[in-house]
Amino acid sequence: MDLYNATVEIHRSDNESKIFRVFPDFPIRLFKAGQYGSLGLASDEKENKLVKRAYSIASPMIDLSTNQLSNQKDLKYLEFYINKVNQRKKKEQITPKLFELKSGDRMFCGEKIVGHYTPPENSDWKNIVFVSTHTGESPNNSIINHLLLQGSKATIININVGNSWKSLYSEEHQAIEKLYKNYRFLQFQDNSPTYNRITNFIANFSENEEFSALLDVKETLFYLCGDPLL
């Protein structure tokens, strides 16, 4: 249909999340790691109106077959890591529709990519700590991929705070940890009510001897991203 301008590939999935690789019909513009684009699907069977939403662009991070870091400039697709959401009444949502897609299906992909959640301009940080809920891992992975490609020597800690959910990028994180001694990925699992998870994490982080040294604000840059309700 005329409203659609991209083809989707389901790269990896489980019951809670999927990695979508979206191949636009148009050349992908240069953009900064951590920025977001938009995806859209028809709102009904008449297919004359799009439901669109902004999603952070993820990163493949590393090619597991070659152990080479991925570089967005070499890719013909945009990667999106999307988690299921609860359907909210009186508000039309695209995410449930995305989870019905199969590889080869068509969809809308916006050409414009924007956002201010991007790599640090100052490269002199001793430590860079990324903290995310499930929905925040996408931009954090992209920024970390960029930092490693640039040869960052900072200690990079990538922390995901959630319940029993497991990242679909676990293999990539493990591969990068083996290749880069300055990188570490952690999942802080907490089954308490969602609004307590970040508070619990901060308390545990500050009490942990291994990480308490990272709390020096003069040497450590913190990134925090994601929906606190997830």
Side-chain angles (χ1 to χ4, degrees), residues 27 78 101 110 142 150 152 172 201:
L78 296 171
L101 294 177
S142 294
Q150 297 302 309
S152 173
E172 283 79 3
F201 160 73

Side-chain angles (χ1 to χ4, degrees), residues 195-204:
Y195 51 81
N196 286 334
R197 289 176 188 163
I198 294 296
T199 303
N200 291 346
F201 160 73
I202 293 173
N204 278 269

Side-chain angles (χ1 to χ4, degrees), residues 4 7 22 28 34-35 47 54 70 74 141 146 160 163 189 204:
Y4 289 172
T7 302
V22 178
I28 298 172
Q35 293 187 310
E47 298 184 342
S70 300
D74 301 327
N141 286 354
H146 170 83
N160 188 265
N163 50 23
Q189 296 184 343
N204 278 269

Side-chain angles (χ1 to χ4, degrees), residues 92-121:
E92 195 167 24
Q93 292 188 341
I94 180 180
T95 301
K97 297 176 182 290
L98 288 175
F99 274 77
E100 297 175 1
L101 294 177
K102 303 179 298 294
S103 291
D105 285 346
R106 298 282 289 171
M107 68 183 311
F108 170 82
C109 179
E111 294 190 46
K112 188 176 182 180
I113 299 175
V114 295
H116 300 288
Y117 189 80
T118 54
E121 295 182 3

Side-chain angles (χ1 to χ4, degrees), residues 127-146:
N127 312 300
I128 305 178
V129 178
F130 295 83
V131 182
S132 69
T133 57
H134 302 341
T135 57
E137 188 183 344
S138 292
N140 285 353
N141 286 354
S142 294
I143 295 172
I144 289 166
N145 170 261
H146 170 83

